[in-house]
Amino acid sequence: MDKIMFIEIGMGIDLHGQNVTKAAVRAVQNAIHHNSMPGLRSVLPGGSLHNMKVNVRLAVPADKEKLDLETVRAELPYGQVTFEVTDGGMLTGTGVVLPEKDDVNDLAYIVIASVEVGY
């Protein structure tokens, strides 16, 4: 990415089920769902959203091998999307195990996302 236009930060939590992908999707949603970029198209090469570059950094606390990046990518409707996955985020106890919610323990998975948009 030659020019970064903006960076949005989000946090996502899976309270039950210990699903790192669900927490990552929520973190990306949290980062991107509170903004609008009406002037972005006018500065993108060719005026096309397809020329937008989106780099997503995900800080995940556990189960990186279970992270489904294609499911996360589906939350980003435009642009050329790349990912960087690092250790981070948080695991914290919820104090309750709900087998009917697929809990295997009482851990909540918290993922942090940084979404960089530019060209």
Side-chain angles (χ1 to χ4, degrees):
M1 188 175 321
D2 295 325
K3 296 200 185 256
I4 296 176
M5 302 301 293
F6 69 89
I7 299 170
E8 291 289 331
I9 308 297
M11 178 186 71
I13 304 168
D14 183 28
L15 287 173
H16 298 287
Q18 297 74 48
N19 186 321
V20 70
T21 300
K22 187 182 290 185
V25 163
R26 290 175 176 167
V28 169
Q29 288 173 340
N30 182 247
I32 68 172
H33 283 170
H34 301 287
N35 62 65
S36 178
M37 304 175 288
L40 186 62
R41 190 178 305 201
S42 67
V43 299
L44 290 173
S48 172
L49 291 175
H50 296 292
N51 292 324
M52 178 174 63
K53 293 184 179 177
V54 180
N55 186 53
V56 179
R57 293 183 179 161
L58 297 171
V60 300
D63 297 338
K64 281 198 284 189
E65 72 283 356
K66 294 181 181 178
L67 181 59
D68 182 351
L69 293 177
E70 291 308 310
T71 298
V72 179
R73 184 184 314 274
E75 297 300 315
L76 302 157
Y78 305 107
Q80 303 160 29
V81 181
T82 57
F83 290 96
E84 296 175 42
V85 179
T86 64
D87 292 332
M90 176 185 268
L91 295 175
T92 189
T94 64
V96 63
V97 176
L98 300 175
E100 65 273 17
K101 298 244 182 203
D102 298 323
D103 275 344
V104 294
N105 54 46
D106 79 331
L107 292 177
Y109 281 38
I110 303 171
V111 172
I112 306 300
S114 172
V115 180
E116 303 169 338
V117 176
Y119 59 94

